[in-house]
């Protein structure tokens, strides 16, 4: 069986393929039309503005930590995208969450994964004060 293509395609509107009512779309920040530059479908923001927002990391359109442009996620999580917020408590801890999926406090409360590498090894973590055998051997 052949793999079916995603009907939606890309998350960007391509200026070379835009026709009909989609050609009338424009960037909500700078006003550039979809026939001139690529536009992010979900947010109606042009490619140039997206690059600018990623650099600024303002916390309104783009995440304060990683710069990902996701206005809905950023507004829900007080300036951070879902990749930079703890899945359990909702606290922002970008560096630790991107590596382990949870903030440091929730990670230690669970007590099943290594603090350094994130490997799930309950018995080793209990025995080596939060580290797996491999990481404990390195120290």
């Amino acid at each position: 069986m052949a793999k079916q293509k995603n009907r939606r395609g890309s998350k960007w509107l391509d200026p070379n393929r835009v026709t009909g009512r989609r050609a009338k779309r424009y960037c909500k920040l700078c006003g550039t039309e979809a026939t001139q530059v690529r536009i992010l479908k979900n947010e109606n923001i042009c490619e140039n503005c997206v690059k600018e927002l990623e650099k600024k990391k303002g916390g309104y359109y783009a995440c304060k930590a990683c710069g990902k442009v996701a206005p809905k996620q950023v507004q829900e999580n007080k300036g951070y995208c879902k990749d930079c917020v703890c899945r359990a408590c909702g606290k922002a801890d970008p560096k630790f969450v991107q590596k382990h999926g949870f903030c440091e406090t929730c990670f230690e409360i669970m007590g099943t994964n290594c603090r350094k590498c994130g490997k799930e090894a309950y018995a080793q973590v209990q025995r080596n004060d939060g580290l797996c055998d491999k990481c404990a051997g390195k120290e």
Side-chain angles (χ1 to χ4, degrees), residues 29-125:
L29 299 178
C30 67
T32 308
E33 289 185 0
T35 56
Q36 297 170 333
V37 70
R38 292 186 337 156
I39 290 185
L40 197 60
K41 286 180 186 176
N42 295 341
E43 309 302 335
N44 286 332
I45 301 174
C46 73
E47 188 173 19
N48 301 333
C49 290
V50 167
K51 288 178 185 174
E52 231 176 274
L53 290 170
E54 286 176 347
K55 288 178 189 173
K56 289 182 182 176
K57 299 180 183 179
Y60 187 72
Y61 286 108
C63 177
K64 290 178 185 177
C66 65
K68 178 181 175 183
V69 176
K72 291 176 187 170
Q73 292 177 18
V74 169
Q75 289 170 1
E76 289 171 359
N77 298 314
K78 298 176 187 163
Y80 294 94
C81 66
K82 68 177 182 177
D83 299 333
C84 297
V85 174
C86 177
R87 290 185 273 168
C89 68
K91 178 183 155 195
D93 188 2
K95 290 181 181 177
F96 203 83
V97 170
Q98 287 174 356
K99 186 174 180 182
H100 300 291
F102 298 97
C103 67
E104 247 180 303
T105 53
C106 292
F107 197 74
E108 287 182 18
I109 289 170
M110 288 188 303
T112 58
N113 298 4
C114 174
R115 282 185 284 135
K116 263 193 176 170
C117 66
K119 177 182 171 185
E120 187 173 354
Y122 181 73
Q124 294 175 16
V125 168

Side-chain angles (χ1 to χ4, degrees), residues 4 8 21 24 35 39-40 45 62 89 119 133 138-139:
Q4 288 184 345
R8 287 185 173 171
R21 65 184 176 90
K24 296 176 185 170
T35 56
I39 290 185
L40 197 60
I45 301 174
C89 68
K119 177 182 171 185
D133 288 341
K138 289 179 184 176
E139 287 186 351

